[in-house]
Structures are given as C-alpha cells and as structure tokens.
Amino acid sequence: MSAAYVCIICGESEPNTIDLYVRKSKKLGRDDHRREQSTDAQTEQGHRWSHRKGYAVRKVWKDIASAFKAVKRSDFDRALAALANEEVPTLWAYAIDRFSRKGAEDLLKVIGKARVIFDMDGLDSNEPRDRRWIINRAEEAREYSEGLSKRVRDTKEEQRDAGRWVAGRAPYGYTVSRDRVLSPDEEPFICHVATRKEWSRAALVREMFRMIAEDGESTRGVCRWLNGMRVPSPGGKSWGFAYVYRMTRNPAYYGTQVIQIRPGHPEPYRNTKGELVPLRGTALITRDQQRRAQNNLAGNNVIPVPNRARDTRAKHLLTGLLQCPGCKRSMSMGGRSYLCQAATGGTGCHVKASARTTAIESYVFEAWLARLTGADDDDSIMIAVSERWTARTKPEETAAEQAARSVLDAAEADLAGLIRTRKQYTGAAERYYFQQLTEATEAVDAAKEQAAKHGSAGRVQLPFLSVSVEDLTRAWEDADPYLKRDLLRLAIDRITVHKAPRRGCKFDGDSRLTIAWAKTTGRADYGTAA
C-alpha cells in the first residue's frame, strides 16, 4: 500500500498497517465473575503486539456479541470485508474463540487469502504449519461452545420445569430469593401526598392491572398516575406506556413460567409434555384479570362510561353527524347555522361549509323518515337500525353480546399474530409454536361458540314495521331532543355538507348533502316485531 498510516497510540508513521478485531459476549460489571477479557484490554494487547512487529494500527473493529449464535456482528463483517478488498493486509485477533466459534466456517473465508494473527494461540495463518492448528482449534472452540450451550439450555430447562425464575432480574413488583423463587415485593417505598396511602411495588402492579381491566384506563393514563406520584420506573426514570403494555403481556404476573423466544416478548413456558408450568411463589393477579386488561387495551372493552353529575350531552339535533368536505372536521352550532369548525376555530379550510339550522334539520328528518318507512323488512338499513335499537332498549343483552364478541376478536387477533411470527420459532422452539397454535385455535373455537349462544339467545325485533308515517311523525314531535338525536343515529352514520354554490341561495338538500346510512355488522339473528 502506498500511503503511510499513523499509529493512534504513539503517533509514529509506519509503512505496515494492521487492523485489530476485539470482541466479548456480554456487557458485564467489573465485579461479575462471568466477565471476560474486556475489549479495552484486548485492544491494548493488540497495540503492543503491533509495535513489537513493526505495524501501525489502522482500525480497531469491536463487537459485543456472541461468536456462535446467528446474530449480526457488524464490525466482524466489516473487518473481513476490509481484508477481502485489500484495504489492509493483516488482521489481529486476541484468540480463535474471540474471532469465531462457528468452527472453520468463518476462518476459511480469510485463510489463504489474507493474514490473520491469533495472538493468545500463537498462530499465524501465513505459516503453513499453523493452518492445520488454526482449523483444529477453531473446531475445538465450536465443539466447546455447542457443548456449553447445551449444558446451559438443559440447566435452564430443568430450572424452568421446577418453577424457578431463570432470568437475572425479577419482574417489577416481585423480589427473587437466592433459590430463584419469586415473591411479591410488599415493602412500602412511597407515600401518596394527598391520601397518605403507602404503596409497595406489588400493590402498584395490582392497582395498574385493576385500572386497566376494570376502569378501562389506558397505558398512558397509568403512566400519568405513576409519574404524578413520582414513582420511579424500573430504570429509575419516568414511566413509559410501552413498558406498561409489556407488563400486561407478561405471564409471570399471574404465576406462570415464562420463556423469551422473541426478544422482549415473554411467552408462557411449556415443558416437554406441553404443559404450562406454574412459578414457585405467589401470583400478583389472576389470569382473568390479565385477559381483561389485554382485551381493553386492544380496543375491545365494553366498560360503561360512569354517570356524570353534570349533563354534558349534546343538545342540538345534528351535532356530531355533520362533516365539512374540505377539512373533514365536524360542524357545530354557531348562531343560527351549523358551521365548519375551521370557520369558528381560526384554522385553515378551503371550503368552510355551513347550513341554516331549520333548513338542514327539516331536510334530514324527511330523508330519515322516507328511508325507514320506504324500506322492505329485509333491507340492510332495517337490520342495521335493529342492531342499534336493541343496543338502546336492551343494553344488558347487548353488553353481553359485545363482551362475547370482544373475546372472539381478541382470540382471533392472538391467533393471527402467532401465525405472522411463525418464522421466529425455529429449532427447539418449534414445539412452542405448535403448542401455542393449538391453544390459540381452541380459544377461537370456544369464543365462537360463546358468541353464537348470545346471538341466538336474543332475536332482535325490528322496530317501526307496523308504524305508519303519520304515527312515526307524531312520535317524533313528542320526543325530547335527546331521543330525536338517538333516533336519527339509528339509521345515519355521517352527513357531508357541501358548500352552497353562491351566497344567499335557497337550501337544496339533494345537492348539498351526502348521507352515509348505517350498515349492519351481520352478527345477529333478526325477527319481526309483533
């Protein structure tokens, strides 16, 4: 190579260049007995060797990753590419097992093509007598690594089968004993300023699940509650909603052994017989609580909104139904007209639709009346209206059906998610996939059966079939504003209000309004009102 390189340690210019490759498996503390030779120590030793042999260090490549597992080692790949592209003639490595534990697989990429020095082994790939030793030592390192991995796997599997906690850190809310048994962390560590109530980490976890499962609280709401009490997160900082969400997916909280096949996704562990293994110790919540929490976070909650002391219901007939076609915002009452919110809020909209209250309300009622009284019994609008009428007149039956349907939706989502991640279950982990697939399929079948029971238990009665136009009009006139709003929404989802062609022209509902009529979910069995 024509250019001279300067050593990054002594600053001297030397013609012979070399790269260093250093690696260790994990980030471990200085007092950890599993700590390997640090990358800094390996780098220093590589510099000393280079100076003795008359080389200048061009680049230090460093990885903190396994040399055996199929993980991406970016600097290792770049170091080999630099040799292959003749950017540098020589590569120094601390030892063969620091270079690779895949046997001769990685070594054959460079042996005979470039020079590689294995310092601790005293081997040089340019020496013909060393090449056999290098390959043999690499195969020995591979065999040792495979044997060590198997012993570790067997030991961990034995501990999991015994219900002991294998991971280093206990889940938040638990403590782990020397014999790896989880126990709730009941030691009070924070006191709420307003209520003077003392909280332990275990009590906080129970309350977090209660808030989500019973109150329908979001993960962000839980974080606001925790941060408002100045509760430090497991990392010592403020709480994040993603961490709370992962807690709701951890089987350890309801007392089931876990395994992580996908990083960051704890799953229920199963022994060789396919059985779930209970953890030794006391669970913080029940399985049913976790299911309800997961279901609510998935958007399938049917938790009723608590009664409010002040009546905050909208009073105007079409508030919430009307939409401006320009900005897609809702239109609210302003003076004697319904106006695009951009017009009242000062934000941009190129349309800014509006309509006089009396004219548009009269037209919408007439369209609603004509659509319902002119429909046949099997018309889709009548089926959609029936579903919503049942939800209004028989809320307890509708809530039970919605709950059964939400359980089915959650089970189907779990099954679909498992199928999407099929490729991540390889090798020994395949048995977990098929066991979970069977369980997820059974859960979907059971949920379908339960939903079918609710669907067939209460046949929905179609309203208005025996009511004339005159009777329905009289009933409309006698209804209060809230009932009128509900009746309109039985059949109408949305109304788009287009801008008038010119200022002051007469309201023409046929050209100005686009009504989106209600659609059926197709989930109920319908009868005819007596």
Side-chain angles (χ1 to χ4, degrees), residues 257-279:
Q257 182 66 273
V258 303
I259 187 171
Q260 288 199 42
I261 299 172
R262 297 175 292 159
H265 294 79
E267 301 174 11
Y269 170 78
R270 295 176 181 274
N271 58 24
T272 54
K273 297 179 181 179
E275 301 167 339
L276 294 174
V277 177
L279 280 167

Side-chain angles (χ1 to χ4, degrees), residues 171-210:
Y172 186 85
Y174 281 110
T175 59
V176 60
S177 64
R178 293 178 63 88
D179 57 351
R180 312 306 297 171
V181 175
L182 290 181
S183 301
D185 185 355
E186 302 287 4
E187 183 70 24
F189 79 105
I190 191 169
C191 181
H192 191 271
V193 176
T195 63
R196 307 305 301 171
K197 180 178 179 179
E198 291 186 331
W199 290 93
S200 66
R201 289 178 176 83
L204 286 173
V205 170
R206 296 189 188 102
E207 180 64 12
M208 291 161 65
F209 274 94
R210 189 203 65 77

